């Protein structure tokens, strides 16, 4: 908005012509014709308020500024302040997810910056304990080592923190919140700055700084969701340094407005800069006219946002909340406990009771670094129901299938779809197996690392290898594989161990630790109160004992010869991992 | 071979124990038990000769050295000299292709280096006009900007010039052939050197050099095949600078021994560092025990080496030479003419008469840089036969289908294979179309660039979109798409125009020139002597007139109002492109 720069060179009559002829119709359109949209607590509303507010500041129009700050009714139910209060959790998580905070952060920072000049008494950048700083830093923590935002909800996977919105936000943040070494790393990769005090200052800092780290200072971190921080959240469990960083994303948020996916209790895994257990992100070729005008493709709702496109349980081939956004918006998952202070054991438990009627879903994830260096994710996912259901747990994986320890029937001459609705119609069934009372193991290779999923299959289970691309006449979907575990019954437990192991070097032609070290998984006990699993890894026992209801830190528990205090214990070779 | 380093510290008796006890059995095994293999003119023979020869030098055993140099019979029919004479063309092309010269160059350089010390009178590095230098430089020209070798014949796509074999060859070449700025670029990326004079020297050069280019000095270049240079060859047509380099590979070589593919008149396209029109390379997970012991997978012969896995005509769903290596080894394609001195027009014509009985295949490729900057490849591929055949011309493409200008039927609910043998059994038929008398256009997006294939379809043609993965129960093949043009009849012409156009930026969210500029293709004339095609591109006419038999530079030709001298002319907007 450059009107302020030329303001003084206009006569009062000229100003009136411009302000009444150009700005007023636009502001009226936003605040009258689109009144309810303007007052929405949604990223579109942020853009609208920023526009009207900045126009108000540039034209000394208090009415505009007040509507922008407090909504068309100026009662604070809409407007910028309500948007700052409503769309972020207290720790800065943006309810639509990281891809959309990347988008919304531009009007947030631009209008806040204008307000900071025009109405410094508002102390807008300090509002809500500096929520805009928290929002920026939370967004940056939710990126891969290559700078792309984690593909939570509708998200284009290519989008990274070099986008213009982040250039603006970071340069302003540098000025208002002070120097921050992590921002230097990003600004350097952005390779451009704003022509502003913040931009000049960060450019000068880059020019003189020595040894700017190549990676943002990523850490294990958890965010709550909901403006009070009481609507679930997301945990980013990290392990490893530099380019060897592994990140397990565990999502138990609220729905995330219109761009939310039906993916409660979903996990994703990034390792060494690659997405390993994947989220499809959004189905969209942004700005490509031939592809539905560059908008979200129909497959975005029909596939990408459905539960089966994720890594969480699908009950009875239907999506969570029956795929109804309005219903989904009313609920959120709930974190039960977490412990993230030790590299050896990071653990998060969460539950979801509303996604499927009369089915209680509870998933506890352990990201473990064993004393011998092995990286193991133990995943205890209980579906509890009094009635019979079909439960599908997909692992969307990125890589080449290397081996399985079970026999399967491959559909080699003709292929059909896995199902007919709720996203299943997009999956070709490449192979399937029926496994009884066994440990099913599946190893794949991504780039230079092996990954194995070891699954305890009590009684019987069906296994599927699928690939997207069915019912896709316009070739709108990428062809991506998944490994799906299907169980039927009332309550069912999915005990899976994901191991990151070995290395493959196609240039030096060697392969090491290409086999998973997991030898067996046993569920020693599982009821509403306690789950105990024993996993044999390279001859040593990893024993996990967890509470499913009592998460108090001081509670003491005993089961047979195992005793522990608090919600869980992890023993490796009979010694507590901590 | 470190025996020479400790030689002086042994007594004569100790030497005898080692030489008779360790070396002799090995040399005997190679030269007696595996006598015919040792004398083969093949990369395995090079390794064997280098081993025996170096052992001979280290132990002052003339017999070993002579066998290594001239074969077990010492008659020069086998041995290292015959291998230097037989496996390279006079300009350094290695008959197995660039992936295998990468492999064989290690024993070539190691043994030559030892010979250079032990028998300097041989002047081994000068042999055949410094064939080992030519071999190295030819291999390096056959790489992508990221250093990976072009996937001609059996080739792992990840293999690049940082492999140990190339470290050795480059450091030795630096010493014996002198400084070469291009080698500095590569040695710097290798980030290691030999502990030798050459290694120390190149390390010193890197330490003191300023502005070592990040890319090898790639250029348009042609190589002959065959030890006399009369067995066809390969043309690398390049255009553009730096990371915007485009490379069209046109292969009309001999078969290439046991690692050769049935791919006469095949093309591949690399652009901006990405493989756009692809070659599957080899089906192999090297060194991965679970995958067939890490060896070449059965699918390597069954799919990857078959003609349908390439970008050249398949006649009657059978591979060239009926997929019989022994027959294929007897023949080679033949270059008819080329002109590669102008960036505006690079043209190569070649023919193949033996791959299919009574079918003459002749393909002329034009890589054009139009005055307005457009990059266009015009591809005139004539199949001439007196009898009826089915001709399939695949474009193995790497990218997402963006649009077609024709309607097709997609196999959305069930999928079947395109065929049952010769590689066709591995292709799922995703969609198909029947097009009559039309220009068929197909656009795909790779990374940030659009690519369009515009095809003149006279009379009628079938079009297929396929994907690998059928009949692949072990998940040994990558899932890759192809666009296949099928024509039936006696002689048929395939006139295709590939345009590299536009850009897509998912971070800045813009897309430009997303539509091909090609508006029409007309075949004005086509017979045994002359082909004339008119292509309308953004309203201007690109006219190509070529001779199909008379390639003499001084011959004058007239067709209607078009006159030209030599084998071809290209007119753009009525002006000759040159």
């Amino acid at each position: 908005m450059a009107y302020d720069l030329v303001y003084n060179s206009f006569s009062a009559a000229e100003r009136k012509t411009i302000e009444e002829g150009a700005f007023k119709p636009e502001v009226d359109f936003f605040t009258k014709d689109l009144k309810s949209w303007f007052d929405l607590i949604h990223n579109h509303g942020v853009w609208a308020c920023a526009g009207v507010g900045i126009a108000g500041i540039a034209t000394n129009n208090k009415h505009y500024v007040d509507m922008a700050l407090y909504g068309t009714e100026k009662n604070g139910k809409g407007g910028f302040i309500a948007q700052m209060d409503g769309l972020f959790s207290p720790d800065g998580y943006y309810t639509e997810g990281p891809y959309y905070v990347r988008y919304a952060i531009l009007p947030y920072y631009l209008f806040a910056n204008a307000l900071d000049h025009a109405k410094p008494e508002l102390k807008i950048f300090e509002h809500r304990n500096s929520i805009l700083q928290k929002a920026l830093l939370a967004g940056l923590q939710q990126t891969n080592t290559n700078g792309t935002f984690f593909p939570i909800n509708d998200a284009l996977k290519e989008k990274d923190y070099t986008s213009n919105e982040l250039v603006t936000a970071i340069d302003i943040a540098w000025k208002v919140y002070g120097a921050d070494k992590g921002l230097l790393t990003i600004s350097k990769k952005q390779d451009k700055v704003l022509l502003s005090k913040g931009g000049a200052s960060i450019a000068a800092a880059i020019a003189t700084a020595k040894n700017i780290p190549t990676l943002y200072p990523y850490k294990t971190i958890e965010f709550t969701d909901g403006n009070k921080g009481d609507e679930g959240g997301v945990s980013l469990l990290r392990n490893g340094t530099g380019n060897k960083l592994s990140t397990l994303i565990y999502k138990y948020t609220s729905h995330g407005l219109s761009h939310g996916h039906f993916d409660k209790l979903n996990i994703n895994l990034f390792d060494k800069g690659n997405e390993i257990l994947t989220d499809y992100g959004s189905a969209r070729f942004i700005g490509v006219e031939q592809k539905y005008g560059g908008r979200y493709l129909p497959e975005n709702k029909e596939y990408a946002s459905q539960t089966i496109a994720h890594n969480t349980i699908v009950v009875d081939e239907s999506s969570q909340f029956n795929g109804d956004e309005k219903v989904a918006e009313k609920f959120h998952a709930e974190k039960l406990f977490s412990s993230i202070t030790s590299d050896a054991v990071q653990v998060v438990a969460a539950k979801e009771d509303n996604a499927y009627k009369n089915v209680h879903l509870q998933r506890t994830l352990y990201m473990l670094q064993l004393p011998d260096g092995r990286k193991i994710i133990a995943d205890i996912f209980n579906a509890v129901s009094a009635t019979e259901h079909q439960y599908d747990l997909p692992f969307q994986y990125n890589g080449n299938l290397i081996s399985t320890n079970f026999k399967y029937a491959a559909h080699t001459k003709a292929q059909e779809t896995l199902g007919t609705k709720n996203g299943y119609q997009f999956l070709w069934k490449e192979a399937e197996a029926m496994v009884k009372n066994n440990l099913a193991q599946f190893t794949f290779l991504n780039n230079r690392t092996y990954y194995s999923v070891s699954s305890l299959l009590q009684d019987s289970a069906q296994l599927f290898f699928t690939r997207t691309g069915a019912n896709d006449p316009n070739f709108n979907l990428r062809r991506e594989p998944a490994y799906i575990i299907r169980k039927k019954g009332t309550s069912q437990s999915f005990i899976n161990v994901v191991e990151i192991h070995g290395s493959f070097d196609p240039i030096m032609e060697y392969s090491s630790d290409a086999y998973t070290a997991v030898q067996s998984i046993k569920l020693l006990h599982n009821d509403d109160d306690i789950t105990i699993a024993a996993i044999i890894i390279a001859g040593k026992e990893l024993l996990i004992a967890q509470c499913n209801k009592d998460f108090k830190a001081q509670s003491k528990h005993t089961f047979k010869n195992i005793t522990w205090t608090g919600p869980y214990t992890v023993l490796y070779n009979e010694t507590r991992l901590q």
Side-chain angles (χ1 to χ4, degrees), chain A residues 355-558:
Chain A
Y356 294 103
K357 265 188 194 163
N358 301 320
V359 179
H360 167 80
L361 297 171
Q362 187 163 325
R363 186 175 209 174
T364 309
L365 286 155
Y366 296 80
M367 191 170 197
L368 305 172
Q369 168 92 57
L370 302 189
D372 63 3
R374 289 181 208 280
K375 282 189 188 184
I376 299 279
I377 295 160
D379 175 6
I380 297 175
F381 201 160
N382 284 322
V384 180
S385 180
T387 51
E388 293 260 334
H389 296 285
Q390 173 187 294
Y391 302 101
D392 287 348
L393 178 60
F395 289 86
Q396 319 282 339
Y397 69 97
N398 181 11
N400 284 97
L401 188 154
I402 293 297
S403 63
T404 65
N405 78 337
F406 52 88
K407 286 196 177 166
Y408 54 79
H411 299 290
T412 55
K413 300 219 174 346
Q415 254 183 186
E416 295 185 348
T417 65
L418 182 63
T420 57
K421 57 187 192 301
N422 303 320
Y424 281 72
Q425 70 272 34
F426 296 100
L427 300 180
W428 292 118
K429 206 162 51 175
E430 291 197 324
E432 61 191 296
M434 177 67 83
V435 176
K436 286 186 184 178
N437 288 316
N438 212 331
L439 177 73
Q441 295 188 294
F442 153 55
T443 296
F444 62 96
L445 176 67
N446 174 295
N447 201 15
R448 296 184 168 207
T449 303
Y450 294 93
Y451 303 86
S452 290
V453 180
S454 298
S455 310
L456 172 64
L457 302 181
Q458 295 173 300
D459 304 327
S460 70
Q462 262 181 298
L463 301 172
F464 297 97
F465 286 104
T466 65
R467 193 168 306 263
T468 43
N471 279 292
D472 181 24
N474 298 318
F475 292 77
N476 283 344
L477 292 175
R478 300 184 300 269
R479 272 46 177 160
E480 297 187 346
Y483 170 61
I484 301 175
I485 302 170
R486 173 172 292 177
K487 296 188 180 186
K488 290 178 182 172
T490 54
S491 297
Q492 292 290 321
S493 289
F494 292 79
I495 316 290
N496 288 287
V497 177
V498 178
E499 185 186 358
I500 299 170
H501 60 99
S503 67
F504 168 66
D505 189 325
I507 296 174
M508 298 306 157
E509 299 189 11
Y510 71 75
S511 196
S512 65
D513 274 331
Y515 295 85
T516 179
V518 175
Q519 295 166 311
S520 79
I521 303 177
K522 282 190 177 132
L523 193 56
L524 304 183
H525 184 79
N526 195 39
D527 66 16
D528 288 357
D529 295 311
I530 283 174
T531 300
I532 299 181
I535 303 157
I536 305 297
I537 299 174
K540 292 180 182 166
E541 187 187 66
L542 178 77
L543 191 134
I544 296 174
Q546 71 177 33
C547 302
N548 295 325
K549 278 185 176 165
D550 177 1
F551 308 109
K552 286 192 286 292
Q554 62 277 31
S555 294
K556 291 186 192 301
H557 308 277
T558 301

Side-chain angles (χ1 to χ4, degrees), chain A residues 127-149:
Chain A
H127 184 73
R128 261 192 105 193
N129 297 313
S130 303
I131 192 70
L132 290 184
Q133 182 184 31
K134 289 178 177 167
L136 174 62
L137 300 182
L140 294 175
Q141 281 292 346
Q142 293 176 80
T143 59
N144 181 19
T145 49
N146 67 0
T148 54
F149 291 92

Side-chain angles (χ1 to χ4, degrees), chain A residues 99-100 154-156 259 282-285 291-292 294-300:
Chain A
Y99 175 81
Y100 268 97
D154 285 347
L156 292 177
H259 295 293
S282 60
R284 183 181 195 183
F285 292 84
K291 286 292 194 187
Y292 207 60
R295 292 169 291 152
Y296 283 107
L297 293 158
E299 290 79 8
N300 191 56

